[in-house]
Structure formats: C-alpha cells, structure tokens
Amino acid sequence: MKHAGPLPEAAEAGAVEDELRRLAVIATGMFHRGSQSITAQEAERDVALLLEAEPSPLVFGRFFFVHESQAVVAEAELRSYEFLHATFGEHLAARLISRELAALLSAHSADGRPPVGRRLRALLSVVPLTDRAEVVRNVRELIAADGGDVRRSLVELLRALFAQAGQDGSRGRDLAYRPIGQSAVERDAIYGANLLLLAVAVAGELDLTTFLCGHREPADAWSRHAHLWRSQFGDASWTSFSRFLSLRRGLRVAVREEGADDPDVAGYGDVPARSAPVRAPRQGGFHVPDAVSATELMRRVAFVGDSDATDLLHLVVPLLDRLPGTLRTYHSDGAGESRSAAHLLVSLLSRSHGTATELAGAYAGLVVMLPDLPEEDLPRMREAVARQLVHDAARLPGPAAVEVLRALTLSAVPDPAPGRHAATWRLLLGCVQEQAGRPDVAQAELDTIASRLGAFLRTAGEQSDLATAVAQADTTHVWQHAGPGRARGVLDRHRAALAGVPAAERPRLTVGLLRLARELGRDDWLAEHAEALLLTLDLAALGRLRPTDADVLLPFVRETALRRLLDRIRTVWRGDPAAIPTADT
C-alpha cells in the first residue's frame, strides 16, 4: 500500500482483501441499521465483533465515502460516513456473505459435519436480505460463476444450517454483534428466512420437500416457518420477502423474476393450500372429514388478525357459509394434483377455463365429487352446478354435457320436501332441451334424463308443477318424455295453482298455460277459460303475447277492448293487414 511503502505482491493482495473485508463489514452495518451512513464508533464496534480486529483508520476519508460529517455533542466529537454510491455498499455486503459461505463450505467438505457458522449467523440474523433485494441478486451473481457441483454442495450446506438454526444449543454460540435491538425469536426467524433465500438464490428453484426433509409433513413445516417469519417481520419486510419468492406447485419455491408472469397467482390452481392433502388416497373424489371445518378456518383467520388473509376469506365467506363441505371435498387426477370442490366451483363461476376441454375437466371433477360431499351440502351443490351449467352447456362437448346432466340427476336422493329442489330440476330440464338435436349427443341418454327429471318434478307440488309444465312445453323432445299428458284435468290443476303463484311470476305462467292449452289442442278449455285468464293481465303483461297467440285466442274473446289489444299485437308484428300483399295482388 502506498501509505506504508511498497509491499510484496502477495502481501499487497492480502492487505487489499483485509481492507475490502473491513469495508464490507461497514457496508453491512449500514444495511443492518437501515441507514446510508454509519458513525465511526459503530463502525469500530462492528469490525471488532465481526472480524475480531481493530478497524483501520485508513478506511475513513477515502473515495469510497461521499463525505465525512462531524458534530460535537456533549463535548464529544461524532463522525459519520457514507458510501459514494449505495450500490457499492450492496455489492460489498453481498461479497462478505458469499465469502463466508465459501469458507463454511470448505470446512463442511473437510469433515462432513455442518460448521457452526457464527459469523454467517451474525450477518444473516439482523434483517431479511430482501429489505435490499440487490444484496440477494449480487450474491446470486457472485455464486453463479461456481460450477454446478459447488452450487449443489452449497445448497446442501444451507439446508444443514437451516435444520440446525432452530436448535436451542446453537444460539449460545452467537457472536455478540447486535447493531439493533432484537429478541432472540426475531433473530432466529430472520436467520432461517435468509438461509432459505440464499438456498433459492443458489439453486434457482428449491424443492421444499427435500430442503425440509427433516420434517414428516413438509407442507405443515413450511406453513409453520412462514407464520413465524410473518410474525417477526415488519409489514415492509414481509412484503419485500413474499414478493421476492414465488411458491409454486408441488412445494417448490423460486425467485420471482421481475416482469414475468407469476405462476403462483396467474397459473390456474398453482397455489398450494396447506389444508389440501399432499397425497390423495385414490384417484377421483374423496372427503377429508377430520380436517379443519370452514367455520373453524374462519375463526382462526379472524383470531390471527392477518388483514391479507381476512380480505381473501371475505371473498369466499358466502360459499363457505352455504357449502362448507366443499372446502374439504377433493378431486384427485391421479397425478398427485388435488382440487377442492370449492376451488372448482369458483373457477366455473369466474369462467377461468379458456378451452372446452378445460371446462369439461372442471365439470367432470365436480360431478365425481358429488357422492363424497356431506349429505347436507349435496342439494345446494347440485343447484349451484345446475345454475352454472345453463350458461356453459353450449360450450361443453356434447358427451361431457350429457354426463354432467346424468350425474346431477343420479345424485338425487329421496327428500321429504321435494318441492324445494324443483327450480334445480327445471334448470336441468332447460339444459336437456338445449342439448336435443346436437349431432354429438346420444339422444337415448337424453330421453332417460328427461324422464327422470319429469318424475322428480311430478312430486314437487302444484305450483312447481305449473312452472314445470310451461318449461316442458318448449320442445317436443322433452314433452314426450317428461310431460304430464294432455288430459283436461292437467290444465284445470294448473289453472287452480295460479292463485298461489307469486305475483311477479303470474303473468309469465298465465301466458305459458294458454300456450300449453293451444299446443294440446284443447279448444274446449280455451273457450271456457281463455278470456277470463287474459283479463287478469295488465297491458304490460299482455305484451308477452305473440301474434300467433292472438290468432288462436281471438275466437275465444268477446270483450271489445281485449279484442282490440289482440289485434294491436298482430299489427305490431305484421303491420297494417290492409297493406299486406295477397296472392291476388
């Protein structure tokens, strides 16, 4: 060094390295204190504790620092220093960590036992490295030059240190380096999190089932570690840490690359749930009866007070309140992937499936789970799927749509109040009508489903029977297999049921009943009841009629004003009859 005269080349290299280590300790001290500057007293203490050496006076005042600030407080002179560029300090901190890792790896390779790593523990126990993400990235770059064997050995070293970190005996060997006030629990949590960060940085992607191999249930172990970190990190530190890492399918964790799609959020179903079984007992549907209930889950989240989890839970409370069993009923695809009924149902409601094949797969998973749902959830689940199927049936391949209809009707069980499910059966009947005539649909299977639905609906009560008959009359195919027949008594029963129909539904069902009588060819019934039924409708309700309705009903109407209204309906559709050309003109 110039200040001490020329040195031999080897000695000069050693002196430069010593100087860089002192600078790195000072940079790390700034990082740990969350500051861009450090006082002379702090720097001297850090160097003495971490390097067991007196700080070199040559460090201060050199070009590495922007300026030297001086102040006199209580007759004592205080000096502080800062780096010219913050990135230089980040690089030095990363260099100190990477050099310490290399030294520990050499010791580990020599005797095969995990080293104590007192200095590394001191360096990694103060703040999460992601508080300044460039530090982690610099470590990655410094280690990237090492060969694959070295990196694999380094990951194994970090795994051993991670397993050792939680042992009470390891804490007693810590250095007395305490740049900020912390509890022992906080230091342990930050140390473990930083070991994991470094392992991910070295490996690129880390298999947690291997990294946490000392635990019988890696998913549970990961959850407990994550909860510990969340409890000990401040909000800003936790946000930086959780954004830096990406937890992926199969308990794998990787560095989240800036600007890239995040597979743990954007990818369908890639977020691994702690409560989801790691190993499915079999392919197909299954229920986990001894798992935490939806009610208990909500209580736990509320108790912890995690605002992020509470916001997410708020989104699904209506689902969990109405269909709690869907949270613990799963479908396994046989390849190790399980999805809950709640997950698949929400994916349908949000239209997450871009292709017909994906959509068919989601419906197939749901109907396979129907027999495994708790009995009290089954009717509501059937209704929820039926309501969504109305919108999706046309997108599904024909065989897939028929299979869903078949499964939903086969899953029906005897019910003491069948009328409460009539709306579901009518929805499914509408789906059957839409599938009729598709070239890729087996019509015989549709006939069987229609007959089954007709039987369900005939037990649903008079009011439901009326709405059902109107729905059944939409197509000949369904009427043939599910209709109640053409006896006059059927029409009389439906007319009597109108009195009990909600007012909002009465106009639609009245018009539907008149059309049903027309389709059945019951002119005798229309002659007796058509005018009286039409007079119960106001002007807006009469607007439901079509001109073909008016053609049929006019002969049975004597009231002048009502006849004019029926004529007006025909004019709206067809124009002035006098202006319509005939065959003679």
Side-chain angles (χ1 to χ4, degrees):
M1 305 291 285
K2 291 182 179 180
H3 65 277
L7 292 174
E9 185 174 347
E12 183 174 337
V16 169
E17 180 61 30
D18 289 343
E19 194 81 348
L20 285 173
R21 292 186 72 204
R22 292 187 181 97
L23 281 172
V25 168
I26 294 169
T28 301
M30 294 178 185
F31 173 38
H32 285 168
R33 292 174 175 87
S35 174
Q36 295 295 329
S37 64
I38 190 170
T39 68
Q41 291 83 355
E42 289 169 338
E44 291 169 3
R45 186 166 56 250
D46 291 352
V47 170
L49 289 170
L50 289 175
L51 300 183
E52 300 179 346
E54 293 297 327
S56 168
L58 299 176
V59 168
F60 302 110
R62 295 167 66 94
F63 70 94
F64 299 122
F65 298 92
V66 171
H67 64 271
E68 174 183 346
S69 300
Q70 300 184 29
V72 177
V73 179
E75 299 183 357
E77 185 180 36
L78 299 179
R79 298 185 179 187
S80 63
Y81 309 88
E82 61 183 278
F83 283 107
L84 181 62
H85 298 292
T87 53
F88 187 75
E90 291 163 352
H91 175 79
L92 283 172
R95 185 178 188 273
L96 181 62
I97 293 169
S98 61
R99 292 298 177 95
E100 190 63 27
L101 285 172
L104 290 175
L105 183 59
S106 297
H108 183 43
S109 302
D111 59 15
R113 293 179 298 177
V116 175
R118 297 170 69 219
R119 185 176 293 113
L120 182 70
R121 186 178 183 115
L123 294 173
L124 300 182
S125 299
V126 184
V127 294
L129 296 177
T130 45
D131 276 13
R132 202 171 293 172
E134 282 303 317
V135 174
V136 189
R137 295 191 180 97
N138 280 322
V139 172
R140 291 180 73 186
E141 292 173 2
L142 290 169
I143 295 174
D146 296 328
D149 291 340
V150 174
R151 291 198 298 272
R152 282 189 289 273
S153 297
L154 191 51
V155 171
E156 178 57 29
L157 168 66
L158 290 164
R159 188 202 65 76
L161 292 172
F162 187 89
Q164 186 186 74
Q167 299 174 7
D168 292 337
S170 63
R171 195 180 299 144
R173 300 189 294 269
D174 286 358
L175 295 177
Y177 175 69
R178 300 288 186 274
I180 60 175
Q182 290 175 291
S183 69
V185 174
E186 182 182 358
R187 291 178 62 81
D188 286 348
I190 292 172
Y191 179 52
N194 281 333
L195 290 173
L196 174 78
L197 278 170
L198 292 172
V200 176
V202 173
E205 184 176 85
L206 194 64
D207 183 353
L208 291 174
T209 60
T210 302
F211 194 76
L212 303 172
C213 63
H215 299 272
R216 295 173 59 186
E217 295 292 342
D220 184 68
W222 167 259
S223 177
R224 286 188 283 111
H225 283 298
H227 276 78
L228 172 64
W229 300 330
R230 179 64 186 95
S231 70
Q232 298 302 309
F233 290 10
D235 285 342
S237 291
W238 177 249
T239 298
S240 300
F241 180 80
S242 58
R243 283 180 177 172
F244 189 84
L245 295 178
S246 172
L247 183 61
R248 300 179 178 177
R249 183 179 303 181
L251 276 181
R252 305 185 71 84
V253 64
V255 175
R256 178 179 290 127
E257 300 297 340
E258 292 185 15
D261 288 338
D262 187 358
D264 64 358
V265 174
Y268 170 68
D270 281 358
V271 180
R274 173 178 182 259
S275 56
V278 177
R279 293 175 297 275
R282 65 179 185 277
Q283 183 175 355
F286 59 95
H287 184 69
V288 184
D290 57 347
V292 177
S293 67
T295 301
E296 176 64 13
L297 175 66
M298 290 188 280
R299 188 198 65 78
R300 289 184 180 186
V301 171
F303 181 81
V304 171
D306 185 329
S307 59
D308 294 336
T310 301
D311 287 344
L312 289 175
L313 184 62
H314 182 261
L315 297 175
V316 296
V317 163
L319 174 65
L320 298 182
D321 182 56
R322 186 167 175 81
L323 292 165
T326 59
L327 186 65
R328 302 304 182 204
T329 305
Y330 300 88
H331 172 255
S332 171
D333 61 4
E337 294 296 330
S338 298
R339 294 288 179 264
S340 70
H343 178 98
L344 288 176
L345 183 58
V346 171
S347 75
L348 291 178
L349 295 174
S350 59
R351 302 183 73 84
S352 301
H353 308 282
T355 67
T357 301
E358 292 174 349
L359 184 65
Y363 273 103
L366 277 175
V367 298
V368 164
M369 283 185 273
L370 289 176
D372 298 288
L373 280 168
E375 186 174 336
E376 61 272 18
D377 284 357
L378 182 56
R380 289 175 175 175
M381 183 63 163
R382 193 190 302 115
E383 179 186 0
V385 177
R387 289 186 181 280
Q388 189 60 32
L389 185 63
V390 169
H391 305 288
D392 291 336
R395 293 180 58 208
L396 287 170
V402 171
E403 178 56 28
V404 176
L405 288 167
R406 188 191 67 82
L408 290 174
T409 53
L410 283 179
S411 68
V413 295
D415 194 291
R420 66 183 177 180
H421 305 312
T424 301
W425 306 139
R426 283 196 294 275
L427 287 169
L428 295 179
L429 196 63
C431 290
V432 170
Q433 291 169 334
E434 292 299 323
Q435 298 305 304
R438 285 183 60 166
D440 58 345
V441 166
Q443 296 302 314
E445 183 69 18
L446 272 186
D447 295 345
T448 301
I449 295 169
S451 298
R452 193 179 298 137
L453 289 168
F456 292 157
L457 287 163
R458 282 190 287 274
T459 66
E462 290 186 354
Q463 294 179 31
S464 295
D465 198 19
L466 169 58
T468 299
V470 171
Q472 290 166 332
D474 275 355
T475 64
T476 301
H477 178 84
V478 170
W479 184 265
Q480 176 184 0
H481 297 283
R486 67 179 304 272
R488 180 187 175 98
V490 171
L491 296 173
D492 288 335
R493 186 174 72 251
H494 294 334
R495 184 176 65 85
L498 277 173
V501 170
E505 282 289 288
R506 203 170 298 148
R508 179 181 70 83
L509 293 180
T510 298
V511 172
L513 180 58
L514 290 168
R515 287 174 180 162
L516 178 59
R518 178 195 68 195
E519 301 298 350
L520 294 176
R522 300 308 307 232
D523 288 355
D524 56 335
W525 190 88
L526 286 171
E528 185 176 347
H529 300 292
E531 186 171 26
L533 288 172
L534 288 170
L535 289 172
T536 66
L537 303 177
D538 60 20
L539 186 60
L542 286 169
R544 289 178 171 272
L545 294 172
R546 296 191 287 264
T548 50
D549 298 323
D551 291 341
V552 172
L553 295 172
L554 264 170
F556 307 113
V557 174
R558 295 179 295 276
E559 208 275 331
T560 304
L562 186 56
R563 288 182 64 86
R564 283 201 297 268
L565 284 171
L566 293 176
D567 271 331
R568 174 62 182 161
I569 289 170
R570 295 196 294 186
T571 301
V572 167
W573 284 81
R574 300 166 182 167
D576 185 353
I580 299 177
T582 65
D584 298 328
T585 60

